[in-house]
Amino acid sequence: MRRWIPALALALTTTPVFAQDLSGPEAFEGIKDEKERSAAIFEEMGKVLTHPRCLNCHPVTGGPTQGDDMHPHSPPVVRGEADFGAAGMNCNVCHGTENVALTANHRSIPGHEPWALAPVSMGWQGLGLGAICAQLKDPERNGGRTLEQLYEHNAQDGLVGWGWDPGEGRTPAPGSQELFGKLTRAWIDSGAACPG
């Protein structure tokens, strides 16, 4: 029995733990200071933004990562032109328009139309929530989006929604896209403040 305890302890310390619940905007109504409430709402949004379903496709450098442990993509891929992979090895060589279940190992190949990496300017891996927030608000680094367009992206974009329907073998992002959209709306409406 002693042999298994260190192995179990190692597994427990190396397996990432991610939030599985997501509170709605009403959970922050008790915060009277609007800027403080807005920053707290963004921190709740951060449970989604810093989840592997988002981070794997939002690298700061290099190519995508994959899995809940965010290991390097296999097969190795590079960003390529337009964040769509190298010539001859574009993302859609493997990633189709929908998830494809693999029967051999109870996993799947993720898919959505389109499937691509976020631009380098939208890389989040390794950044704190304050830096991610500042980036999301900056049209120079968020794909030219206004806050209203950012709300529409978070609340309605199918690629964002994939995070809650990621296919076999992947932990979905916490909450739902609908709830994430409500949080985004409440964050914007309360001043779009960033955590300190």
Side-chain angles (χ1 to χ4, degrees):
M1 186 71 154
R2 281 188 181 165
R3 286 187 191 170
W4 295 104
I5 293 172
L8 178 60
L10 179 62
L12 291 174
T13 60
T14 59
T15 303
V17 177
F18 303 104
Q20 291 303 302
D21 62 333
L22 194 65
S23 297
E26 65 281 352
F28 304 92
E29 290 174 356
I31 303 173
K32 298 302 178 202
D33 181 87
E34 188 173 56
K35 184 176 179 182
E36 198 177 307
R37 182 173 61 254
S38 187
I41 292 169
F42 191 85
E43 286 181 14
E44 192 69 11
M45 291 169 58
K47 291 179 179 179
V48 173
L49 298 170
T50 61
H51 192 278
R53 295 299 71 78
C54 290
L55 289 180
N56 281 333
C57 293
H58 282 266
V60 174
T61 60
T65 53
Q66 64 187 117
D68 289 350
D69 62 354
M70 297 174 52
H71 61 274
H73 193 283
S74 179
V77 296
V78 295
R79 180 177 292 281
E81 281 190 47
D83 307 308
F84 199 61
M89 187 63 178
N90 287 339
C91 299
N92 62 5
V93 167
C94 296
H95 298 280
T97 59
E98 58 188 33
N99 297 334
V100 175
L102 302 175
T103 58
N105 61 6
H106 306 290
R107 297 247 173 204
S108 61
I109 299 172
H112 181 273
E113 181 61 43
W115 191 267
L117 277 177
V120 172
S121 67
M122 296 170 67
W124 300 338
Q125 286 186 12
L127 299 182
L129 281 181
I132 293 172
C133 180
Q135 179 203 64
L136 285 175
K137 290 172 48 173
D138 182 357
E140 295 291 319
R141 298 183 292 155
N142 74 6
R145 290 182 173 97
T146 63
L147 287 176
E148 192 59 33
Q149 289 168 324
L150 181 64
Y151 162 73
E152 291 170 9
H153 177 68
N154 287 353
Q156 300 167 12
D157 188 288
L159 190 55
V160 173
W162 175 88
W164 291 275
D165 184 24
E168 192 73 33
R170 287 174 205 85
T171 306
S176 66
Q177 186 174 20
E178 179 183 8
L179 185 53
F180 186 56
K182 288 178 180 179
L183 284 166
T184 304
R185 174 87 276 152
W187 170 65
I188 292 168
D189 291 349
S190 60
C194 293

mmCIF file of all heavy atoms in Angstrom, residues 143-196:
data_model
loop_
_atom_site.group_PDB
_atom_site.id
_atom_site.type_symbol
_atom_site.label_atom_id
_atom_site.label_comp_id
_atom_site.label_asym_id
_atom_site.label_seq_id
_atom_site.Cartn_x
_atom_site.Cartn_y
_atom_site.Cartn_z
ATOM 1 N N GLY A 143 -8.785 41.819 -32.084
ATOM 2 C CA GLY A 143 -9.398 41.569 -33.384
ATOM 3 C C GLY A 143 -10.244 42.731 -33.871
ATOM 4 O O GLY A 143 -11.114 42.552 -34.723
ATOM 5 N N GLY A 144 -10.021 43.926 -33.324
ATOM 6 C CA GLY A 144 -10.749 45.122 -33.751
ATOM 7 C C GLY A 144 -12.158 45.207 -33.209
ATOM 8 O O GLY A 144 -12.987 45.937 -33.747
ATOM 9 N N ARG A 145 -12.445 44.493 -32.118
ATOM 10 C CA ARG A 145 -13.821 44.448 -31.587
ATOM 11 C C ARG A 145 -14.101 45.589 -30.610
ATOM 12 O O ARG A 145 -13.272 45.915 -29.776
ATOM 13 C CB ARG A 145 -14.062 43.123 -30.866
ATOM 14 C CG ARG A 145 -14.132 41.927 -31.781
ATOM 15 C CD ARG A 145 -14.415 40.664 -30.971
ATOM 16 N NE ARG A 145 -14.647 39.531 -31.842
ATOM 17 C CZ ARG A 145 -13.723 38.640 -32.167
ATOM 18 N NH1 ARG A 145 -12.501 38.741 -31.701
ATOM 19 N NH2 ARG A 145 -14.027 37.639 -32.971
ATOM 20 N N THR A 146 -15.314 46.115 -30.694
ATOM 21 C CA THR A 146 -15.829 47.009 -29.666
ATOM 22 C C THR A 146 -16.273 46.127 -28.495
ATOM 23 O O THR A 146 -16.366 44.895 -28.629
ATOM 24 C CB THR A 146 -17.048 47.799 -30.176
ATOM 25 O OG1 THR A 146 -18.105 46.862 -30.471
ATOM 26 C CG2 THR A 146 -16.702 48.615 -31.424
ATOM 27 N N LEU A 147 -16.604 46.727 -27.373
ATOM 28 C CA LEU A 147 -17.115 45.937 -26.248
ATOM 29 C C LEU A 147 -18.413 45.225 -26.628
ATOM 30 O O LEU A 147 -18.640 44.082 -26.231
ATOM 31 C CB LEU A 147 -17.318 46.823 -25.012
ATOM 32 C CG LEU A 147 -16.038 47.265 -24.307
ATOM 33 C CD1 LEU A 147 -16.379 48.214 -23.154
ATOM 34 C CD2 LEU A 147 -15.234 46.084 -23.809
ATOM 35 N N GLU A 148 -19.253 45.877 -27.422
ATOM 36 C CA GLU A 148 -20.503 45.239 -27.847
ATOM 37 C C GLU A 148 -20.221 44.031 -28.742
ATOM 38 O O GLU A 148 -20.861 42.985 -28.605
ATOM 39 C CB GLU A 148 -21.402 46.247 -28.567
ATOM 40 C CG GLU A 148 -22.805 45.747 -28.781
ATOM 41 C CD GLU A 148 -23.543 45.375 -27.495
ATOM 42 O OE1 GLU A 148 -23.322 46.005 -26.448
ATOM 43 O OE2 GLU A 148 -24.357 44.428 -27.543
ATOM 44 N N GLN A 149 -19.258 44.154 -29.615
ATOM 45 C CA GLN A 149 -18.878 43.019 -30.475
ATOM 46 C C GLN A 149 -18.235 41.902 -29.641
ATOM 47 O O GLN A 149 -18.417 40.724 -29.939
ATOM 48 C CB GLN A 149 -17.939 43.478 -31.583
ATOM 49 C CG GLN A 149 -18.625 44.328 -32.625
ATOM 50 C CD GLN A 149 -17.643 45.008 -33.559
ATOM 51 O OE1 GLN A 149 -16.551 45.430 -33.166
ATOM 52 N NE2 GLN A 149 -18.032 45.130 -34.826
ATOM 53 N N LEU A 150 -17.509 42.281 -28.605
ATOM 54 C CA LEU A 150 -16.927 41.284 -27.702
ATOM 55 C C LEU A 150 -18.041 40.523 -26.983
ATOM 56 O O LEU A 150 -17.982 39.293 -26.850
ATOM 57 C CB LEU A 150 -16.009 41.961 -26.685
ATOM 58 C CG LEU A 150 -15.310 41.034 -25.703
ATOM 59 C CD1 LEU A 150 -14.358 40.093 -26.417
ATOM 60 C CD2 LEU A 150 -14.558 41.857 -24.666
ATOM 61 N N TYR A 151 -19.076 41.242 -26.553
ATOM 62 C CA TYR A 151 -20.234 40.575 -25.944
ATOM 63 C C TYR A 151 -20.843 39.573 -26.922
ATOM 64 O O TYR A 151 -21.096 38.415 -26.573
ATOM 65 C CB TYR A 151 -21.293 41.602 -25.506
ATOM 66 C CG TYR A 151 -22.635 40.950 -25.298
ATOM 67 C CD1 TYR A 151 -22.864 40.128 -24.194
ATOM 68 C CD2 TYR A 151 -23.653 41.083 -26.231
ATOM 69 C CE1 TYR A 151 -24.080 39.475 -24.020
ATOM 70 C CE2 TYR A 151 -24.870 40.448 -26.069
ATOM 71 C CZ TYR A 151 -25.072 39.638 -24.963
ATOM 72 O OH TYR A 151 -26.267 38.988 -24.806
ATOM 73 N N GLU A 152 -21.087 40.008 -28.160
ATOM 74 C CA GLU A 152 -21.678 39.111 -29.160
ATOM 75 C C GLU A 152 -20.795 37.888 -29.389
ATOM 76 O O GLU A 152 -21.288 36.766 -29.515
ATOM 77 C CB GLU A 152 -21.914 39.870 -30.469
ATOM 78 C CG GLU A 152 -23.014 40.903 -30.373
ATOM 79 C CD GLU A 152 -23.088 41.814 -31.592
ATOM 80 O OE1 GLU A 152 -22.398 41.543 -32.602
ATOM 81 O OE2 GLU A 152 -23.840 42.810 -31.519
ATOM 82 N N HIS A 153 -19.486 38.098 -29.435
ATOM 83 C CA HIS A 153 -18.533 36.995 -29.615
ATOM 84 C C HIS A 153 -18.656 35.995 -28.467
ATOM 85 O O HIS A 153 -18.800 34.795 -28.694
ATOM 86 C CB HIS A 153 -17.118 37.564 -29.691
ATOM 87 C CG HIS A 153 -16.043 36.543 -29.812
ATOM 88 N ND1 HIS A 153 -15.881 35.754 -30.933
ATOM 89 C CD2 HIS A 153 -15.063 36.171 -28.946
ATOM 90 C CE1 HIS A 153 -14.839 34.938 -30.752
ATOM 91 N NE2 HIS A 153 -14.335 35.175 -29.559
ATOM 92 N N ASN A 154 -18.622 36.484 -27.244
ATOM 93 C CA ASN A 154 -18.686 35.596 -26.077
ATOM 94 C C ASN A 154 -20.042 34.905 -25.951
ATOM 95 O O ASN A 154 -20.116 33.737 -25.570
ATOM 96 C CB ASN A 154 -18.396 36.372 -24.788
ATOM 97 C CG ASN A 154 -16.935 36.735 -24.639
ATOM 98 O OD1 ASN A 154 -16.094 36.312 -25.421
ATOM 99 N ND2 ASN A 154 -16.639 37.540 -23.643
ATOM 100 N N ALA A 155 -21.108 35.617 -26.273
ATOM 101 C CA ALA A 155 -22.456 35.088 -26.053
ATOM 102 C C ALA A 155 -22.992 34.245 -27.206
ATOM 103 O O ALA A 155 -23.827 33.371 -26.977
ATOM 104 C CB ALA A 155 -23.425 36.255 -25.798
ATOM 105 N N GLN A 156 -22.483 34.472 -28.439
ATOM 106 C CA GLN A 156 -23.124 33.835 -29.583
ATOM 107 C C GLN A 156 -22.201 33.086 -30.532
ATOM 108 O O GLN A 156 -22.677 32.250 -31.300
ATOM 109 C CB GLN A 156 -23.895 34.897 -30.376
ATOM 110 C CG GLN A 156 -24.973 35.570 -29.563
ATOM 111 C CD GLN A 156 -25.513 36.824 -30.222
ATOM 112 O OE1 GLN A 156 -25.257 37.103 -31.378
ATOM 113 N NE2 GLN A 156 -26.265 37.606 -29.458
ATOM 114 N N ASP A 157 -20.918 33.366 -30.525
ATOM 115 C CA ASP A 157 -20.009 32.736 -31.485
ATOM 116 C C ASP A 157 -19.920 31.226 -31.231
ATOM 117 O O ASP A 157 -19.681 30.794 -30.101
ATOM 118 C CB ASP A 157 -18.620 33.374 -31.382
ATOM 119 C CG ASP A 157 -17.691 32.900 -32.476
ATOM 120 O OD1 ASP A 157 -17.253 31.732 -32.418
ATOM 121 O OD2 ASP A 157 -17.394 33.683 -33.393
ATOM 122 N N GLY A 158 -20.107 30.444 -32.266
ATOM 123 C CA GLY A 158 -20.090 28.994 -32.148
ATOM 124 C C GLY A 158 -18.746 28.434 -31.724
ATOM 125 O O GLY A 158 -18.679 27.409 -31.032
ATOM 126 N N LEU A 159 -17.648 29.074 -32.135
ATOM 127 C CA LEU A 159 -16.329 28.576 -31.730
ATOM 128 C C LEU A 159 -16.131 28.769 -30.228
ATOM 129 O O LEU A 159 -15.587 27.896 -29.550
ATOM 130 C CB LEU A 159 -15.211 29.259 -32.520
ATOM 131 C CG LEU A 159 -13.816 28.665 -32.350
ATOM 132 C CD1 LEU A 159 -13.787 27.169 -32.659
ATOM 133 C CD2 LEU A 159 -12.809 29.397 -33.231
ATOM 134 N N VAL A 160 -16.597 29.890 -29.685
ATOM 135 C CA VAL A 160 -16.580 30.079 -28.227
ATOM 136 C C VAL A 160 -17.474 29.022 -27.588
ATOM 137 O O VAL A 160 -17.095 28.373 -26.612
ATOM 138 C CB VAL A 160 -17.052 31.507 -27.849
ATOM 139 C CG1 VAL A 160 -17.205 31.648 -26.337
ATOM 140 C CG2 VAL A 160 -16.078 32.553 -28.382
ATOM 141 N N GLY A 161 -18.645 28.795 -28.156
ATOM 142 C CA GLY A 161 -19.584 27.807 -27.633
ATOM 143 C C GLY A 161 -19.041 26.393 -27.632
ATOM 144 O O GLY A 161 -19.460 25.563 -26.815
ATOM 145 N N TRP A 162 -18.086 26.101 -28.525
ATOM 146 C CA TRP A 162 -17.468 24.774 -28.560
ATOM 147 C C TRP A 162 -16.869 24.423 -27.197
ATOM 148 O O TRP A 162 -16.842 23.261 -26.807
ATOM 149 C CB TRP A 162 -16.392 24.716 -29.657
ATOM 150 C CG TRP A 162 -15.652 23.420 -29.652
ATOM 151 C CD1 TRP A 162 -15.996 22.280 -30.315
ATOM 152 C CD2 TRP A 162 -14.475 23.113 -28.908
ATOM 153 N NE1 TRP A 162 -15.098 21.275 -30.047
ATOM 154 C CE2 TRP A 162 -14.150 21.767 -29.170
ATOM 155 C CE3 TRP A 162 -13.664 23.837 -28.042
ATOM 156 C CZ2 TRP A 162 -13.048 21.136 -28.606
ATOM 157 C CZ3 TRP A 162 -12.568 23.206 -27.471
ATOM 158 C CH2 TRP A 162 -12.274 21.879 -27.758
ATOM 159 N N GLY A 163 -16.424 25.418 -26.443
ATOM 160 C CA GLY A 163 -15.821 25.180 -25.132
ATOM 161 C C GLY A 163 -16.734 24.437 -24.170
ATOM 162 O O GLY A 163 -16.265 23.816 -23.220
ATOM 163 N N TRP A 164 -18.032 24.473 -24.407
ATOM 164 C CA TRP A 164 -18.987 23.765 -23.551
ATOM 165 C C TRP A 164 -19.469 22.463 -24.199
ATOM 166 O O TRP A 164 -20.240 21.727 -23.606
ATOM 167 C CB TRP A 164 -20.163 24.675 -23.207
ATOM 168 C CG TRP A 164 -19.722 25.775 -22.287
ATOM 169 C CD1 TRP A 164 -19.620 25.706 -20.926
ATOM 170 C CD2 TRP A 164 -19.296 27.086 -22.648
ATOM 171 N NE1 TRP A 164 -19.151 26.894 -20.425
ATOM 172 C CE2 TRP A 164 -18.941 27.760 -21.472
ATOM 173 C CE3 TRP A 164 -19.170 27.767 -23.861
ATOM 174 C CZ2 TRP A 164 -18.485 29.079 -21.463
ATOM 175 C CZ3 TRP A 164 -18.712 29.068 -23.848
ATOM 176 C CH2 TRP A 164 -18.385 29.707 -22.653
ATOM 177 N N ASP A 165 -19.007 22.197 -25.402
ATOM 178 C CA ASP A 165 -19.330 20.949 -26.101
ATOM 179 C C ASP A 165 -18.063 20.454 -26.791
ATOM 180 O O ASP A 165 -18.006 20.353 -28.017
ATOM 181 C CB ASP A 165 -20.452 21.200 -27.116
ATOM 182 C CG ASP A 165 -20.911 19.922 -27.802
ATOM 183 O OD1 ASP A 165 -20.738 18.826 -27.226
ATOM 184 O OD2 ASP A 165 -21.423 20.019 -28.933
ATOM 185 N N PRO A 166 -17.017 20.142 -26.002
ATOM 186 C CA PRO A 166 -15.699 19.893 -26.592
ATOM 187 C C PRO A 166 -15.449 18.475 -27.091
ATOM 188 O O PRO A 166 -14.367 18.191 -27.587
ATOM 189 C CB PRO A 166 -14.756 20.214 -25.437
ATOM 190 C CG PRO A 166 -15.524 19.805 -24.229
ATOM 191 C CD PRO A 166 -16.964 20.166 -24.548
ATOM 192 N N GLY A 167 -16.410 17.597 -26.959
ATOM 193 C CA GLY A 167 -16.204 16.230 -27.428
ATOM 194 C C GLY A 167 -15.630 15.337 -26.341
ATOM 195 O O GLY A 167 -15.157 15.796 -25.302
ATOM 196 N N GLU A 168 -15.689 14.062 -26.605
ATOM 197 C CA GLU A 168 -15.247 13.029 -25.665
ATOM 198 C C GLU A 168 -13.787 13.236 -25.260
ATOM 199 O O GLU A 168 -12.939 13.554 -26.086
ATOM 200 C CB GLU A 168 -15.399 11.659 -26.330
ATOM 201 C CG GLU A 168 -15.256 10.498 -25.392
ATOM 202 C CD GLU A 168 -16.449 10.331 -24.472
ATOM 203 O OE1 GLU A 168 -17.579 10.628 -24.896
ATOM 204 O OE2 GLU A 168 -16.231 9.920 -23.319
ATOM 205 N N GLY A 169 -13.522 13.077 -23.958
ATOM 206 C CA GLY A 169 -12.157 13.154 -23.461
ATOM 207 C C GLY A 169 -11.700 14.531 -23.030
ATOM 208 O O GLY A 169 -10.540 14.702 -22.663
ATOM 209 N N ARG A 170 -12.585 15.534 -23.080
ATOM 210 C CA ARG A 170 -12.215 16.889 -22.671
ATOM 211 C C ARG A 170 -13.224 17.421 -21.668
ATOM 212 O O ARG A 170 -14.419 17.240 -21.835
ATOM 213 C CB ARG A 170 -12.210 17.827 -23.891
ATOM 214 C CG ARG A 170 -11.065 17.603 -24.811
ATOM 215 C CD ARG A 170 -11.189 18.468 -26.072
ATOM 216 N NE ARG A 170 -10.443 17.809 -27.117
ATOM 217 C CZ ARG A 170 -10.938 16.837 -27.881
ATOM 218 N NH1 ARG A 170 -12.193 16.471 -27.766
ATOM 219 N NH2 ARG A 170 -10.172 16.254 -28.772
ATOM 220 N N THR A 171 -12.724 18.111 -20.662
ATOM 221 C CA THR A 171 -13.584 18.736 -19.664
ATOM 222 C C THR A 171 -14.159 20.022 -20.247
ATOM 223 O O THR A 171 -13.396 20.871 -20.715
ATOM 224 C CB THR A 171 -12.777 19.069 -18.390
ATOM 225 O OG1 THR A 171 -12.129 17.891 -17.933
ATOM 226 C CG2 THR A 171 -13.663 19.648 -17.310
ATOM 227 N N PRO A 172 -15.477 20.185 -20.245
ATOM 228 C CA PRO A 172 -16.047 21.436 -20.760
ATOM 229 C C PRO A 172 -15.698 22.617 -19.855
ATOM 230 O O PRO A 172 -15.398 22.450 -18.671
ATOM 231 C CB PRO A 172 -17.554 21.190 -20.752
ATOM 232 C CG PRO A 172 -17.794 19.864 -20.174
ATOM 233 C CD PRO A 172 -16.485 19.236 -19.815
ATOM 234 N N ALA A 173 -15.749 23.787 -20.428
ATOM 235 C CA ALA A 173 -15.576 25.011 -19.636
ATOM 236 C C ALA A 173 -16.692 25.073 -18.596
ATOM 237 O O ALA A 173 -17.760 24.490 -18.792
ATOM 238 C CB ALA A 173 -15.627 26.226 -20.558
ATOM 239 N N PRO A 174 -16.472 25.774 -17.484
ATOM 240 C CA PRO A 174 -17.518 25.853 -16.462
ATOM 241 C C PRO A 174 -18.719 26.663 -16.929
ATOM 242 O O PRO A 174 -18.605 27.564 -17.745
ATOM 243 C CB PRO A 174 -16.803 26.537 -15.287
ATOM 244 C CG PRO A 174 -15.668 27.267 -15.886
ATOM 245 C CD PRO A 174 -15.264 26.502 -17.118
ATOM 246 N N GLY A 175 -19.883 26.304 -16.402
ATOM 247 C CA GLY A 175 -21.109 27.040 -16.715
ATOM 248 C C GLY A 175 -21.626 26.704 -18.093
ATOM 249 O O GLY A 175 -21.627 25.554 -18.523
ATOM 250 N N SER A 176 -22.044 27.738 -18.824
ATOM 251 C CA SER A 176 -22.579 27.590 -20.180
ATOM 252 C C SER A 176 -22.247 28.861 -20.950
ATOM 253 O O SER A 176 -21.926 29.901 -20.360
ATOM 254 C CB SER A 176 -24.092 27.396 -20.134
ATOM 255 O OG SER A 176 -24.719 28.569 -19.640
ATOM 256 N N GLN A 177 -22.351 28.788 -22.265
ATOM 257 C CA GLN A 177 -22.115 29.986 -23.061
ATOM 258 C C GLN A 177 -23.147 31.061 -22.732
ATOM 259 O O GLN A 177 -22.819 32.248 -22.682
ATOM 260 C CB GLN A 177 -22.119 29.676 -24.557
ATOM 261 C CG GLN A 177 -21.737 30.891 -25.397
ATOM 262 C CD GLN A 177 -21.592 30.594 -26.866
ATOM 263 O OE1 GLN A 177 -22.105 29.593 -27.365
ATOM 264 N NE2 GLN A 177 -20.889 31.459 -27.580
ATOM 265 N N GLU A 178 -24.368 30.648 -22.487
ATOM 266 C CA GLU A 178 -25.410 31.615 -22.132
ATOM 267 C C GLU A 178 -25.029 32.379 -20.857
ATOM 268 O O GLU A 178 -25.126 33.604 -20.797
ATOM 269 C CB GLU A 178 -26.744 30.903 -21.939
ATOM 270 C CG GLU A 178 -27.865 31.842 -21.544
ATOM 271 C CD GLU A 178 -29.185 31.139 -21.281
ATOM 272 O OE1 GLU A 178 -29.225 29.896 -21.249
ATOM 273 O OE2 GLU A 178 -30.176 31.854 -21.096
ATOM 274 N N LEU A 179 -24.576 31.654 -19.842
ATOM 275 C CA LEU A 179 -24.177 32.289 -18.591
ATOM 276 C C LEU A 179 -22.934 33.159 -18.783
ATOM 277 O O LEU A 179 -22.847 34.264 -18.244
ATOM 278 C CB LEU A 179 -23.939 31.225 -17.520
ATOM 279 C CG LEU A 179 -23.637 31.715 -16.112
ATOM 280 C CD1 LEU A 179 -24.704 32.693 -15.618
ATOM 281 C CD2 LEU A 179 -23.526 30.521 -15.172
ATOM 282 N N PHE A 180 -21.988 32.685 -19.591
ATOM 283 C CA PHE A 180 -20.789 33.465 -19.891
ATOM 284 C C PHE A 180 -21.182 34.766 -20.599
ATOM 285 O O PHE A 180 -20.637 35.831 -20.313
ATOM 286 C CB PHE A 180 -19.832 32.633 -20.743
ATOM 287 C CG PHE A 180 -18.503 33.271 -20.999
ATOM 288 C CD1 PHE A 180 -17.691 33.688 -19.957
ATOM 289 C CD2 PHE A 180 -18.042 33.426 -22.300
ATOM 290 C CE1 PHE A 180 -16.443 34.259 -20.199
ATOM 291 C CE2 PHE A 180 -16.798 33.996 -22.557
ATOM 292 C CZ PHE A 180 -15.998 34.416 -21.503
ATOM 293 N N GLY A 181 -22.152 34.689 -21.502
ATOM 294 C CA GLY A 181 -22.645 35.889 -22.166
ATOM 295 C C GLY A 181 -23.286 36.861 -21.189
ATOM 296 O O GLY A 181 -23.076 38.074 -21.275
ATOM 297 N N LYS A 182 -24.056 36.337 -20.236
ATOM 298 C CA LYS A 182 -24.685 37.207 -19.224
ATOM 299 C C LYS A 182 -23.628 37.888 -18.362
ATOM 300 O O LYS A 182 -23.758 39.066 -18.015
ATOM 301 C CB LYS A 182 -25.637 36.393 -18.350
ATOM 302 C CG LYS A 182 -26.905 35.977 -19.062
ATOM 303 C CD LYS A 182 -27.800 35.136 -18.162
ATOM 304 C CE LYS A 182 -29.060 34.726 -18.896
ATOM 305 N NZ LYS A 182 -29.945 33.886 -18.066
ATOM 306 N N LEU A 183 -22.584 37.144 -18.006
ATOM 307 C CA LEU A 183 -21.492 37.744 -17.239
ATOM 308 C C LEU A 183 -20.797 38.834 -18.048
ATOM 309 O O LEU A 183 -20.485 39.914 -17.527
ATOM 310 C CB LEU A 183 -20.480 36.680 -16.815
ATOM 311 C CG LEU A 183 -20.893 35.783 -15.664
ATOM 312 C CD1 LEU A 183 -19.973 34.566 -15.570
ATOM 313 C CD2 LEU A 183 -20.908 36.551 -14.345
ATOM 314 N N THR A 184 -20.565 38.577 -19.325
ATOM 315 C CA THR A 184 -19.923 39.573 -20.188
ATOM 316 C C THR A 184 -20.777 40.830 -20.269
ATOM 317 O O THR A 184 -20.271 41.948 -20.167
ATOM 318 C CB THR A 184 -19.675 38.988 -21.596
ATOM 319 O OG1 THR A 184 -18.908 37.790 -21.488
ATOM 320 C CG2 THR A 184 -18.947 39.978 -22.484
ATOM 321 N N ARG A 185 -22.088 40.654 -20.437
ATOM 322 C CA ARG A 185 -23.002 41.803 -20.498
ATOM 323 C C ARG A 185 -22.939 42.606 -19.198
ATOM 324 O O ARG A 185 -22.843 43.836 -19.212
ATOM 325 C CB ARG A 185 -24.430 41.285 -20.744
ATOM 326 C CG ARG A 185 -25.524 42.321 -20.691
ATOM 327 C CD ARG A 185 -25.723 43.005 -22.039
ATOM 328 N NE ARG A 185 -24.776 44.108 -22.223
ATOM 329 C CZ ARG A 185 -24.335 44.518 -23.407
ATOM 330 N NH1 ARG A 185 -24.726 43.965 -24.511
ATOM 331 N NH2 ARG A 185 -23.486 45.520 -23.499
ATOM 332 N N ALA A 186 -22.989 41.911 -18.056
ATOM 333 C CA ALA A 186 -22.960 42.590 -16.758
ATOM 334 C C ALA A 186 -21.626 43.293 -16.539
ATOM 335 O O ALA A 186 -21.575 44.387 -15.966
ATOM 336 C CB ALA A 186 -23.222 41.580 -15.642
ATOM 337 N N TRP A 187 -20.534 42.676 -16.991
ATOM 338 C CA TRP A 187 -19.206 43.292 -16.861
ATOM 339 C C TRP A 187 -19.152 44.579 -17.672
ATOM 340 O O TRP A 187 -18.711 45.622 -17.163
ATOM 341 C CB TRP A 187 -18.139 42.292 -17.325
ATOM 342 C CG TRP A 187 -16.763 42.856 -17.463
ATOM 343 C CD1 TRP A 187 -15.974 43.341 -16.451
ATOM 344 C CD2 TRP A 187 -16.011 43.002 -18.672
ATOM 345 N NE1 TRP A 187 -14.764 43.770 -16.973
ATOM 346 C CE2 TRP A 187 -14.777 43.567 -18.332
ATOM 347 C CE3 TRP A 187 -16.269 42.688 -20.004
ATOM 348 C CZ2 TRP A 187 -13.786 43.827 -19.275
ATOM 349 C CZ3 TRP A 187 -15.293 42.954 -20.941
ATOM 350 C CH2 TRP A 187 -14.065 43.530 -20.588
ATOM 351 N N ILE A 188 -19.612 44.543 -18.905
ATOM 352 C CA ILE A 188 -19.616 45.737 -19.755
ATOM 353 C C ILE A 188 -20.525 46.812 -19.176
ATOM 354 O O ILE A 188 -20.128 47.976 -19.049
ATOM 355 C CB ILE A 188 -20.056 45.358 -21.189
ATOM 356 C CG1 ILE A 188 -18.987 44.485 -21.854
ATOM 357 C CG2 ILE A 188 -20.322 46.614 -22.021
ATOM 358 C CD1 ILE A 188 -19.439 43.811 -23.147
ATOM 359 N N ASP A 189 -21.732 46.425 -18.767
ATOM 360 C CA ASP A 189 -22.700 47.382 -18.257
ATOM 361 C C ASP A 189 -22.263 48.030 -16.945
ATOM 362 O O ASP A 189 -22.738 49.117 -16.598
ATOM 363 C CB ASP A 189 -24.074 46.720 -18.074
ATOM 364 C CG ASP A 189 -24.732 46.368 -19.402
ATOM 365 O OD1 ASP A 189 -24.232 46.827 -20.474
ATOM 366 O OD2 ASP A 189 -25.727 45.635 -19.388
ATOM 367 N N SER A 190 -21.373 47.364 -16.216
ATOM 368 C CA SER A 190 -20.887 47.929 -14.944
ATOM 369 C C SER A 190 -19.559 48.673 -15.128
ATOM 370 O O SER A 190 -18.899 49.001 -14.153
ATOM 371 C CB SER A 190 -20.756 46.839 -13.888
ATOM 372 O OG SER A 190 -19.841 45.827 -14.314
ATOM 373 N N GLY A 191 -19.147 48.912 -16.366
ATOM 374 C CA GLY A 191 -17.965 49.736 -16.613
ATOM 375 C C GLY A 191 -16.774 48.988 -17.172
ATOM 376 O O GLY A 191 -15.732 49.598 -17.425
ATOM 377 N N ALA A 192 -16.858 47.691 -17.360
ATOM 378 C CA ALA A 192 -15.763 46.883 -17.935
ATOM 379 C C ALA A 192 -14.445 47.117 -17.214
ATOM 380 O O ALA A 192 -13.399 47.298 -17.831
ATOM 381 C CB ALA A 192 -15.647 47.133 -19.436
ATOM 382 N N ALA A 193 -14.501 47.089 -15.876
ATOM 383 C CA ALA A 193 -13.285 47.270 -15.080
ATOM 384 C C ALA A 193 -12.463 45.991 -15.070
ATOM 385 O O ALA A 193 -12.999 44.889 -15.157
ATOM 386 C CB ALA A 193 -13.642 47.659 -13.647
ATOM 387 N N CYS A 194 -11.166 46.150 -14.956
ATOM 388 C CA CYS A 194 -10.246 45.002 -14.905
ATOM 389 C C CYS A 194 -9.795 44.758 -13.480
ATOM 390 O O CYS A 194 -9.638 45.687 -12.694
ATOM 391 C CB CYS A 194 -9.024 45.263 -15.777
ATOM 392 S SG CYS A 194 -9.402 45.336 -17.535
ATOM 393 N N PRO A 195 -9.562 43.475 -13.147
ATOM 394 C CA PRO A 195 -9.029 43.168 -11.809
ATOM 395 C C PRO A 195 -7.643 43.793 -11.657
ATOM 396 O O PRO A 195 -6.919 43.954 -12.636
ATOM 397 C CB PRO A 195 -8.919 41.639 -11.806
ATOM 398 C CG PRO A 195 -9.741 41.161 -12.946
ATOM 399 C CD PRO A 195 -9.800 42.283 -13.940
ATOM 400 N N GLY A 196 -7.288 44.140 -10.430
ATOM 401 C CA GLY A 196 -5.999 44.777 -10.138
ATOM 402 C C GLY A 196 -4.826 43.852 -10.274
ATOM 403 O O GLY A 196 -4.902 42.688 -10.457
#
